[in-house]
Amino acid sequence: MNSATTTTTKSRALRRFALHATSTCATQAEAYGKCILATYTDVRKDACKEEFAKFGACLRESVRLPRK
Amino acid sequence: MHRRIPLSLSRVRTFASHSPSPPSGPNTVGPYQVFDRHAKVLQRDRSATRDGGARSRTTDYVRDEVADRMIERLLDIKRKFNTILDLGSGPGHFSKLLDAEVTNKAVLLESSEKLLHRDPDSEFEVEVERIHADEERLLDVVEPNSQEAIVSCLSLHWINDLPGVLVQIKEALKPDGVFIGAMFGGDTLFELRTSLQLAELEREGGISPHVSPMTDTRDVSNLLGRAGFTLLTVDIDEVRVAYPSMFELMEDLQDMGESNAIVGRRNFIHRDTLAAASAIYKALHGNEDGSVPATFQIIWMIGWKPAPTQPKPLERGSAKKSMKDVL
């Protein structure tokens, strides 16, 4: 079992990630969601690759810790 | 010559990626192992101890709501019980609602020791007894023909051998004893299931189980009948909860001790897939106010152990009048 500290750090990192995925990058997330919504009866790998690339880029940009 | 292999050696070795699940009990038939019961106990133990139980208590809402609806069904039975066995009780969501007019004593049976002892006896209105035992091996701890009433409030969905457990419940009941159960049905968390599947398919090109397979209403009636219960009542009900996003839902599920425990599950979801699933969840199922809904489908079942004093349908073909004459 994880020690208490690792669990907290882990959950805090995930919470920060969740915040970015749902609010910071909400526009990109919505665009990706719309793309899936349009094709969800026939989804295949990378069907919405472009939309996700933008979403992912935004996430990676915002998750990065601010440099001092 | 035939040599007897010691039991400990004959146990099949499992891969390191699967945590070992104990073999199903001698009372059960059909050892279909869908759920990792060992992992489930660990998850439930951890959920009860996280933040000293505070997290577990804040996520009681689904179980408390269902327990509340269940007590109404129990009150419909005009009978006073000496004891009621609460199978898979957790900390006793249902038993807390019992009072002296219904029963003298509640017996909680639960496989997660930490969860069983989460709440003190002072929160109950009736006398409580706690049994720490595996729900799948009910008859190991409960005598056959000994219980007046057995209830199960949202615990049967982690049972591997549902037909076997229902048979054990029937055996444990006295004649004319009643079983009332609530379990999660097939539509439970369908939003989460579909979102994760679509996200994995689009991002990774394949899917793996994240939300348990769940039972259908029709199956439940058949299973109850097959287990030998009579006067069956089966119906469905829904509890819908709105969450800010998929992440809060997943966190709450974890705090409820309801994380994935399918045998051979992937313990890992890629962050990209998780973000994609969250976006899909919102696009496909989101509410207008920006929150996302989660459906918990509840299958209710009531069955009675047969007794000579019960009203029964007549034998097939024993009718004296033809339906044709009447109509």
Side-chain angles (χ1 to χ4, degrees):
Chain A
M1 209 173 143
N2 290 334
S3 72
T5 32
T6 19
T7 326
T8 351
T9 342
K10 245 168 95 186
S11 71
R12 207 176 292 151
L14 187 63
R15 221 169 270 170
R16 218 175 52 225
F17 177 75
L19 181 75
H20 294 308
T22 51
S23 53
T24 320
C25 302
T27 341
Q28 288 88 339
E30 206 188 328
Y32 175 72
K34 280 210 178 107
C35 167
I36 293 280
L37 190 61
T39 55
Y40 77 90
T41 47
D42 185 26
V43 169
R44 53 198 68 209
K45 187 165 161 41
D46 293 332
C48 298
K49 197 177 180 182
E50 265 178 45
E51 284 81 356
F52 192 81
K54 284 179 197 153
F55 185 25
C58 168
L59 281 176
R60 273 182 281 283
E61 189 58 35
S62 45
V63 165
R64 191 184 297 157
L65 289 169
R67 295 262 162 81
K68 275 174 194 168
Chain B
M1 225 185 98
H2 184 75
R3 250 180 71 222
R4 289 195 65 179
I5 306 163
L7 198 67
S8 56
L9 292 179
S10 67
R11 274 195 62 183
V12 183
R13 288 190 64 178
T14 46
F15 291 110
S17 59
H18 297 199
S19 43
S21 199
S24 53
N27 299 322
T28 54
V29 281
Y32 300 112
Q33 296 289 312
V34 185
F35 304 117
D36 186 341
R37 303 265 307 160
H38 176 67
K40 186 40 63 188
V41 170
L42 291 180
Q43 287 172 3
R44 284 165 76 81
D45 275 350
R46 280 176 204 155
S47 78
T49 45
R50 214 169 283 140
D51 289 352
R55 296 276 288 276
S56 171
R57 282 192 191 90
T58 39
T59 51
D60 274 348
Y61 49 88
V62 176
R63 283 168 194 279
D64 280 348
E65 172 63 31
V66 174
D68 208 43
R69 294 183 191 181
M70 190 181 242
I71 197 90
E72 281 175 28
R73 282 161 203 256
L74 185 73
L75 290 176
D76 286 342
I77 299 167
K78 302 287 173 232
R79 196 184 279 189
K80 186 175 170 178
F81 300 101
N82 264 320
T83 58
I84 293 181
L85 177 69
D86 189 347
L87 183 67
S89 59
H93 303 279
F94 174 79
S95 296
K96 272 179 214 168
L97 302 174
L98 293 169
D99 59 31
E101 276 177 32
V102 186
T103 181
N104 296 324
K105 186 175 164 191
V107 181
L108 312 185
L109 191 150
E110 165 64 49
S111 54
S112 155
E113 197 170 9
K114 302 260 168 57
L115 209 54
L116 180 63
H117 293 282
R118 194 192 77 182
D119 293 341
D121 283 5
S122 55
E123 289 190 24
F124 296 85
E125 285 187 37
V126 294
E127 190 194 335
V128 250
E129 182 190 331
R130 297 170 204 248
I131 303 175
H132 173 219
D134 188 351
E135 294 95 345
E136 284 194 349
R137 308 181 64 168
L138 177 64
L139 287 181
D140 288 2
V141 285
V142 175
E143 290 288 310
N145 293 313
S146 64
Q147 302 296 318
E148 291 166 53
I150 299 183
V151 298
S152 161
C153 192
L154 300 182
S155 67
L156 294 178
H157 60 290
W158 290 117
I159 299 282
N160 277 311
D161 182 20
L162 192 56
V165 168
L166 289 173
V167 169
Q168 292 188 51
I169 292 174
K170 197 212 83 185
E171 285 302 311
L173 283 170
K174 285 180 185 171
D176 204 28
V178 65
F179 166 63
I180 306 182
M183 76 183 285
F184 287 121
D187 283 348
T188 303
L189 297 178
F190 74 91
E191 301 96 339
L192 184 65
R193 186 200 303 269
T194 51
S195 306
L196 283 169
Q197 282 175 350
L198 283 173
E200 278 194 321
L201 200 57
E202 199 275 328
R203 289 287 85 218
E204 302 174 38
I207 57 173
S208 61
H210 291 292
V211 178
S212 302
M214 274 169 280
T215 320
D216 209 340
T217 331
R218 278 166 307 179
D219 303 335
V220 169
S221 343
N222 292 340
L223 286 174
L224 283 174
R226 207 178 97 184
F229 286 101
T230 54
L231 307 169
L232 306 179
T233 319
V234 175
D235 63 315
I236 50 170
D237 199 358
E238 261 179 19
V239 179
R240 278 166 76 86
V241 185
Y243 292 90
S245 79
M246 189 191 81
F247 294 98
E248 282 80 6
L249 167 64
M250 291 175 86
E251 201 183 342
D252 274 16
L253 287 175
Q254 193 183 26
D255 288 339
M256 289 177 196
E258 297 293 321
S259 316
N260 189 4
I262 304 172
V263 169
R265 65 201 172 280
R266 264 167 91 200
N267 277 320
F268 172 80
I269 309 180
H270 197 276
R271 288 254 161 135
D272 276 1
T273 312
L274 209 54
S278 157
I280 295 169
Y281 202 128
K282 198 163 178 185
L284 249 66
H285 307 289
N287 295 327
E288 279 181 9
D289 62 356
S291 62
V292 296
T295 306
F296 296 90
Q297 187 189 45
I298 318 291
I299 302 179
W300 293 98
M301 48 188 123
I302 304 179
W304 296 76
K305 181 161 177 172
T309 50
Q310 265 170 5
K312 277 192 225 36
L314 292 172
E315 241 345 86
R316 229 163 206 253
S318 64
K320 301 247 162 54
K321 262 187 186 162
S322 168
M323 202 63 158
K324 251 193 318 198
D325 303 339
V326 184
L327 292 174

